[in-house]
Amino acid sequence: MTTTQIETPHGIARAELHCCPEGRAALLLGHGAGGGIGAPDLVAAARGARAAGVHVALVEQPYRVAGRRAPAPAAQLDSAWLTIAEELEKEFFADLPLVFGGRSSGARVACRTAREGQAVAVVCLAFPVHPPGKPDKTRQPELDAVEVPTLVVQGESDPFGRPTAAHHREVVLIPGDHSLKRDAKAISRTVEEWLDRILRPLD
């Protein structure tokens, strides 16, 4: 495991790298709004990705590195993420396909930046379709705008809602709520199998 710091327009970001002997791609995973990269679902997804032969970068946004809990505005999160992805690709993942991903707020960032960052796929953990109890304030269009293969792993009882599937978007429901703490093995297995299937044509 290697930790690296990255200068972004909005402060210093940090990435924890978990690399394979010969990676076929790299998965960048972002944290939720108030949480860190040690969230159980992120750790489980990272484990599944590495089992599929994919390097993993667990990314901490600048506001977290600076010790703030309140997230930065969406435009700053997206801008920082794209800078981080560009620097990681240049320094560690040259010529490898990039997969963007994250949990909750981090999943939204991955969706919003997938096209500009030229991600070949997106992995969403606990995508927050709407604030609890406010289904009219939907973020489903952020998912719908993604044009590459997308995996969404969602808790069956997530109060933030349930995304809809589409021709290029697979939604896998597992027991649990928004934290996705209950079945880490299911997350690892789902991510491993999906990445292996999606990346096989690119090998």
Side-chain angles (χ1 to χ4, degrees):
M1 190 266 286
T2 303
T3 301
T4 186
Q5 293 192 332
I6 300 151
E7 184 76 52
T8 82
H10 310 289
I12 298 289
R14 192 160 48 214
E16 191 177 282
L17 307 179
H18 300 263
C19 295
C20 306
E22 291 184 25
R24 62 205 287 204
L27 169 63
L28 278 56
L29 287 171
H31 52 74
I37 58 173
D41 56 346
L42 288 175
V43 173
R47 192 180 304 121
R50 289 185 67 209
V54 175
H55 301 308
V56 177
L58 293 167
V59 175
E60 284 184 282
Q61 285 273 2
Y63 77 90
R64 289 286 301 176
V65 176
R68 298 190 298 274
R69 284 190 65 81
Q76 288 187 21
L77 295 175
D78 295 357
S79 168
W81 179 266
L82 287 167
T83 300
I84 293 161
E86 185 180 350
E87 290 302 313
L88 288 176
E89 182 179 27
K90 201 184 304 178
E91 187 74 22
F92 300 100
F93 305 136
D95 302 322
L96 287 177
L98 292 186
V99 180
F100 284 2
R103 72 159 271 106
S104 196
S105 167
R108 296 181 65 194
V109 173
C111 289
R112 292 193 303 258
T113 58
R115 179 186 293 177
E116 189 174 344
Q118 298 183 312
V120 300
V122 173
V123 174
C124 298
L125 306 170
F127 186 91
V129 183
H130 57 71
K134 298 179 179 178
D136 52 313
K137 295 190 174 181
T138 181
R139 290 104 170 217
Q140 181 71 38
E142 293 181 354
L143 262 179
D144 293 341
V146 179
E147 298 172 343
V148 294
T150 304
L151 170 67
V152 183
V153 181
Q154 200 83 354
E156 289 175 331
S157 55
D158 191 333
F160 287 82
R162 184 179 295 182
T164 56
H167 73 280
H168 65 283
R169 182 169 62 242
E170 204 169 315
V171 178
V172 176
L173 300 175
I174 64 172
D177 55 18
H178 194 62
S179 69
L180 291 179
K181 287 180 181 175
R182 279 179 56 185
D183 198 344
K185 286 184 179 177
I187 296 171
S188 294
R189 184 173 61 251
T190 300
V191 169
E192 178 186 357
E193 292 173 354
W194 186 83
L195 283 174
D196 184 57
R197 176 160 38 93
I198 293 301
L199 294 172
R200 203 171 297 145
L202 303 177
D203 287 344

